[in-house]
Amino acid sequence: MKILILSDVHGNLEALEAVLSAASDVDRSWCLGDLVGYGPDPEACVARIRGRCSLVLAGNHDLGVTGRLNLGDFNPVAAEALLWTRSRLSPEALAYLKGLPSQVEVPELGVLLVHGSPRDPVWEYIFSPGQILEVLRETPVPLTFVGHTHNAFWAAYDPESGELEVEGRPAGQTLRLEGGRRYLINPGSVGQPRDGDPRAAFALWDTETGEIRFERVEYDLRAVQMKILRAGLPPQLAERLSYGF
Ligand code: ZN
């Protein structure tokens, strides 16, 4: 079975469409949260993800827009964008976001999906090897997917030797999963990458071959930037898309 794993779409419809068409031959699609916030097309992104993804998590922005998290917990630019987003979402889309879980385990595939981290599914940003090691030592699950930082990476931990391997620039790479090791994987962000590569990021997992491929795809970034500016959203949200930061 081929599974598309995507995260942090943030209302960027052009990036989402580019990812969905680049991964049109998959059997399943999973979304690790933050469907909305920052970007100009929240309603269309919710509808598209709802139609395409069989598993969808709530990220902190999804919880913020529905009022399940306090907007005071966000930085001022994010909070402003969330207020705008809330005003643009239909009651149906808001109800859908409100009902999303913050983590899902698929035991038959040995996989856990969370937005932030297994110990704090909503808020923890996993950046450092120290955090990765702690998480992989504690978890009994062979494979964990996270989003939230908008930085693609993969990490492999061998519980026997205690060895940890981390790859922070996995674009274009294929990771082959090995039995006995535990993996932590971030596919990167579709709609607002922050790892210096402005292209939309995603991952493809082939459960038969045990391979995970880290992909990037270009999209019409200028169109999204124009929409952000026209919507009256904070201009830095348009600008950062150019740099992938
Ligand atoms: Zn996010």
Side-chain angles (χ1 to χ4, degrees):
M1 179 164 61
K2 278 193 197 156
I3 305 172
L4 162 66
I5 295 121
L6 57 90
S7 191
D8 298 278
V9 175
H10 284 290
N12 185 334
L13 184 63
E14 280 73 9
L16 176 62
E17 292 296 356
V19 167
L20 295 182
S21 50
S24 56
D25 65 336
V26 297
D27 304 295
R28 301 239 163 108
S29 300
W30 296 346
C31 175
L32 306 177
D34 278 1
L35 288 70
V36 302
Y38 301 133
D41 284 306
E43 179 78 15
C45 286
V46 170
R48 201 71 173 91
I49 290 166
R50 206 175 167 177
R52 173 76 182 252
C53 297
S54 53
L55 287 177
V56 182
L57 302 182
N60 50 316
H61 287 255
D62 307 315
L63 297 172
V65 84
T66 58
R68 282 169 69 194
L69 278 181
N70 197 318
L71 289 187
D73 294 341
F74 292 82
N75 72 57
V77 169
E80 186 184 337
L82 281 174
L83 277 177
W84 179 92
T85 302
R86 190 183 284 167
S87 74
R88 292 300 192 281
L89 284 171
S90 64
E92 292 74 26
L94 282 167
Y96 171 73
L97 293 175
K98 209 169 194 169
L100 294 175
S102 51
Q103 59 179 326
V104 171
E105 198 173 342
V106 187
E108 61 274 26
L109 292 172
V111 63
L112 174 71
L113 312 177
V114 291
H115 181 67
S117 87
R119 53 192 181 185
D120 182 353
V122 174
W123 273 118
E124 186 182 7
Y125 291 87
I126 299 182
F127 280 116
S128 73
Q131 283 172 297
I132 293 171
L133 192 58
E134 281 171 22
V135 164
L136 286 175
R137 268 196 194 132
E138 285 162 21
T139 184
V141 184
L143 181 55
T144 302
F145 286 103
V146 299
H148 194 41
T149 61
H150 302 205
N151 281 268
F153 76 82
W154 64 256
Y157 173 68
D158 186 337
E160 298 270 295
S161 66
E163 219 172 275
L164 176 73
E165 202 184 336
V166 181
E167 172 55 66
R169 298 227 147 245
Q173 286 185 22
T174 300
L175 169 70
R176 189 180 291 266
L177 304 177
E178 290 169 32
R181 297 176 101 192
R182 294 178 199 154
Y183 295 88
L184 188 63
I185 286 164
N186 190 324
S189 166
V190 170
Q192 194 198 74
R194 293 178 193 162
D195 48 13
D197 183 343
R199 296 174 298 167
F202 60 103
L204 294 168
W205 177 25
D206 186 326
T207 60
E208 252 106 90
T209 64
E211 288 176 340
I212 297 178
R213 177 138 184 94
F214 294 84
E215 299 275 7
R216 304 297 280 235
V217 65
E218 300 208 13
Y219 68 94
D220 189 352
L221 200 142
R222 302 245 173 274
V224 182
Q225 290 175 318
M226 287 309 294
K227 284 189 194 176
I228 288 173
L229 297 175
R230 258 187 242 129
L233 282 158
Q236 57 265 55
L237 295 176
E239 205 181 319
R240 67 187 302 171
L241 294 179
S242 297
Y243 306 107
F245 195 71

